[in-house]
Amino acid sequence: MIVEIDNGVYFVGAMHWDRRLFDELIPLPDGTSYNAYLIKGTEKTALIDTVDPAKSEELVKNLEKLGVKSIDYIVANHAEQDHSGALPIMLKKYPMAKVVTNEKCKRFLMDLLLLPEEKFMVVDEGDKISLGDKTLQFIMAPWVHWPETMLTYLIENKILFPCDLFGSHLAVSNIFSENGKLYNAAKRYYAEIMMPFRNKIRQHMEKISKFDIKMIAPSHGPIYKNPEFILNAYRDWISDDVKNEAVIAYVSMHGSVEKMVEHFIDSLTKQGVNAIPFNLTVTDIGELAMALVDAATLIVATPTVLTGMHPSALYAAYLANALRPKTKFVSLIVSYGWGGKAVEQAKSMIGNLKVELLEPVIAKGHPKEGDFKALDELARKIAEKHREIGILN
Ligand code: FEO
């Protein structure tokens, strides 16, 4: 696919419609894209990022169709292979090209792709490269989501190329597609990839607020002709504001936990708290991550297996701890047969989360009247906490 997205700037990347898993971990319900951009200046030509190795032939064909005989600069905003993986092929086809990136990214690319050092041109914060009538400016933005990441700004066209930042895993036939899926896809991407770096992103957004941006062209998913759409969404997601929501990540083996969760959902609803349950045995883990972007409270509900949490609940707790959502309150619902340490285990797993732990509900065998009352009390406590922070009247 080739699209002139602005005067002298071309999308030359590739759609990966049928990719269903990223990093052998993250579900991709809508596929993804690897966006590379060719910029033709009056004197020089630059390529912004490349594509995943699986789609390198497509990038080569796109450049051939555009009649590109030489490339002077290949900007590597990020070393991860879904954007850098076609660099060796590009350097073979365009041997005069220099790989433009920062020092740390250079080292990564030498390690990951075995590129020789003489192929690189190192840039730093604020450095500019002239293409004649167009100028590239580089903005260092580490930790979105690797330590070497940077952004590129095309001054005359007012286009920001942020690579992964602001991206979405969404394959589209129209690169400017702003259909209803885009917000959710961008939120899912933020939740899975960017959420642990919320504070870093806040600093980077402060920095880019000083640039006049008329278009944001990320390296996954559609291009934003209206940058405020995604900037506003990010402002909301990275803020400290939480919503009156309780995510319930649960798994049930013989029905006890399920009965407690069903009762608990009713209790929360009566208290005016929005319950968002996820049965972990059938949940797309990306949906759970998305829910954690906003929720004030997380409840993990698990039976006891071999003295600890069920492995699916363990995974959910691990994921929540790794993604570092802005969740403020956490509790547990546990059932057991003859003992166990599920609560201690859960507590030890969420050290990254700055949360208040609310009294867990622990039932022996089938839940009984006292257990249901304890669930009502936990729901009441959550509502009280949500009122204290001003998200429930
Ligand atoms: Fe799209 Fe971090 O690579």
Side-chain angles (χ1 to χ4, degrees):
M1 184 159 118
I2 301 170
V3 183
E4 185 168 11
I5 65 166
D6 201 30
N7 172 35
V9 184
Y10 301 83
F11 172 95
V12 289
M15 295 298 143
H16 203 154
W17 296 95
D18 57 351
R19 188 165 180 179
R20 285 293 170 266
L21 207 55
F22 201 86
D23 292 343
E24 303 303 319
L25 174 69
I26 299 170
L28 300 178
D30 301 300
T32 190
S33 71
Y34 318 109
N35 304 355
Y37 301 95
L38 186 82
I39 304 173
K40 285 184 177 173
T42 48
E43 292 171 21
K44 307 268 187 185
T45 299
L47 182 68
I48 308 286
D49 293 317
T50 71
V51 297
D52 190 274
K55 295 290 175 184
S56 55
E57 277 307 305
E58 200 163 327
L59 173 61
V60 169
K61 277 186 195 151
N62 287 344
L63 295 171
E64 282 173 358
K65 277 187 204 159
L66 274 174
V68 178
K69 297 278 184 280
S70 70
I71 292 176
D72 300 282
Y73 306 113
I74 305 176
V75 175
N77 282 317
H78 177 28
E80 195 167 8
Q81 291 91 329
D82 52 326
H83 310 292
S84 70
L87 267 174
I89 288 172
M90 285 291 104
L91 289 173
K92 208 168 178 184
K93 192 166 173 62
Y94 301 102
M96 302 308 285
K98 285 285 182 195
V99 178
V100 179
T101 192
N102 59 74
E103 179 65 29
K104 192 178 279 281
C105 191
K106 179 186 87 173
R107 294 282 157 201
F108 278 24
L109 290 170
M110 288 168 66
D111 268 350
L112 294 169
L113 302 172
L114 308 177
L115 299 182
E117 190 159 13
E118 63 268 20
K119 286 288 181 190
F120 288 89
M121 176 190 286
V122 172
V123 291
D124 206 340
E125 181 70 44
D127 285 352
K128 293 176 185 169
I129 289 180
S130 174
L131 308 178
D133 61 339
K134 298 185 189 299
T135 317
L136 302 174
Q137 182 174 348
F138 305 101
I139 305 162
M140 298 303 117
W143 291 112
V144 290
H145 56 124
W146 281 16
E148 88 304 358
T149 44
M150 67 180 205
L151 324 175
T152 299
Y153 179 64
L154 180 58
I155 295 175
E156 292 76 7
N157 295 70
K158 300 179 181 173
I159 302 175
L160 181 71
F161 300 95
C163 200
D164 278 346
L165 184 61
F166 307 131
S168 60
H169 282 312
L170 193 58
V172 287
S173 52
N174 173 7
I175 198 63
F176 292 111
S177 174
E178 288 186 4
N179 65 30
K181 275 187 173 177
L182 181 54
Y183 179 89
N184 267 0
K187 187 173 185 181
R188 175 188 274 260
Y189 189 89
Y190 167 81
E192 292 165 338
I193 312 282
M194 297 294 168
M195 188 154 63
F197 309 100
R198 199 162 61 90
N199 293 329
K200 287 283 177 198
I201 294 172
R202 203 177 282 177
Q203 293 167 18
H204 301 326
M205 286 187 68
E206 176 64 32
K207 203 192 280 189
I208 64 174
S209 70
K210 297 177 176 57
F211 289 78
D212 184 9
I213 297 169
K214 79 165 190 188
M215 190 185 288
I216 294 180
S219 291
H220 293 293
I223 294 169
Y224 305 96
K225 268 186 176 167
N226 169 19
E228 283 304 305
F229 168 80
I230 192 67
L231 292 172
N232 279 338
Y234 263 69
R235 283 180 195 118
D236 176 28
W237 300 334
I238 64 173
S239 76
D240 290 329
D241 299 339
V242 287
K243 294 193 168 69
N244 176 32
E245 295 168 352
V247 167
I248 307 166
Y250 75 95
V251 54
S252 188
M253 287 163 65
H254 298 292
S256 295
V257 169
E258 190 170 28
K259 283 190 180 73
M260 287 197 283
V261 167
E262 281 169 1
H263 182 92
F264 187 56
I265 292 168
D266 282 348
S267 302
L268 285 170
T269 305
K270 279 178 196 148
Q271 292 288 342
V273 176
N274 299 319
I276 310 180
F278 291 96
N279 180 342
L280 293 167
T281 57
V282 293
T283 289
D284 170 338
I285 217 73
E287 296 283 332
L288 174 60
M290 274 172 79
L292 290 174
V293 171
D294 303 309
T297 295
L298 167 64
I299 307 292
V300 176
T302 179
T304 301
V305 181
L306 298 173
T307 76
M309 297 164 78
H310 187 284
S312 297
L314 270 176
Y315 181 42
Y318 172 85
L319 192 74
N321 191 56
L323 294 178
R324 299 172 187 237
K326 53 192 175 186
T327 310
K328 297 199 182 307
F329 311 105
V330 166
S331 192
L332 287 159
I333 296 171
V334 177
S335 82
Y336 70 101
W338 52 88
K341 294 191 180 303
V343 172
E344 290 79 357
Q345 188 181 31
K347 282 181 185 171
S348 73
M349 287 193 65
I350 54 169
N352 285 345
L353 303 185
K354 295 186 180 81
V355 292
E356 181 180 344
L357 284 164
L358 306 179
E359 188 66 28
V361 176
I362 304 164
K364 185 170 190 301
H366 193 288
K368 303 166 186 73
E369 196 182 337
D371 303 312
F372 291 123
K373 279 192 176 152
L375 289 166
D376 292 339
E377 175 56 21
L378 178 58
R380 192 199 62 73
K381 190 77 185 169
I382 289 168
E384 182 184 301
K385 291 290 174 186
H386 284 200
R387 261 183 225 106
E388 278 175 17
I389 61 170
I391 57 172
L392 175 63
N393 292 323

